[in-house]
Amino acid sequence: IYTLSLHDALPILVGVFLRYPKRQVSFLNVQVSLDPVTLREAEVTFNALVWGGRATLPEDADSFRVRSRWREAGGDWVLVDLEARGLSE
């Protein structure tokens, strides 16, 4: 598993949004499940609706189901795994 911390992921996300400044994202159905035993692992799932870009027509939208797994390490939450699938797949 490739580990990507939030510190490492933010510059990638900022770069994408700077490249496409008119892109907009809405997060729906956000669910956070914390491991009740360890309290050091969590899974976050949500739907992301992404639209805009060069053409800002609403029909240019994409939707994704995103699942991420996180682990607490040294006081920071580290992204362990990230999976995104188009809802039309």
Side-chain angles (χ1 to χ4, degrees):
I1 296 174
Y2 177 75
T3 301
L4 183 67
S5 70
L6 184 58
H7 175 76
D8 295 331
L10 282 176
I12 295 169
L13 294 172
V14 168
V16 169
F17 282 100
L18 287 176
R19 183 173 177 191
Y20 303 103
K22 294 183 180 181
R23 287 297 264 190
Q24 297 184 39
V25 180
S26 292
F27 300 100
L28 309 163
N29 304 322
V30 178
Q31 297 177 337
V32 178
S33 301
L34 185 63
D35 184 310
V37 176
T38 67
L39 301 177
R40 299 182 71 192
E41 295 180 359
E43 181 173 284
V44 180
T45 57
F46 57 89
N47 292 336
L49 179 63
V50 183
W51 73 96
R54 294 177 194 243
T56 56
L57 298 173
E59 57 266 13
D60 289 342
D62 295 309
S63 55
F64 301 92
R65 181 69 179 161
V66 180
R67 182 189 62 80
S68 60
R69 292 186 316 129
W70 298 80
R71 179 178 52 237
E72 190 272 329
D76 293 324
W77 284 92
V78 178
L79 182 61
V80 175
D81 185 45
L82 180 71
E83 175 183 305
R85 294 185 180 174
L87 289 178
S88 61
E89 293 179 6

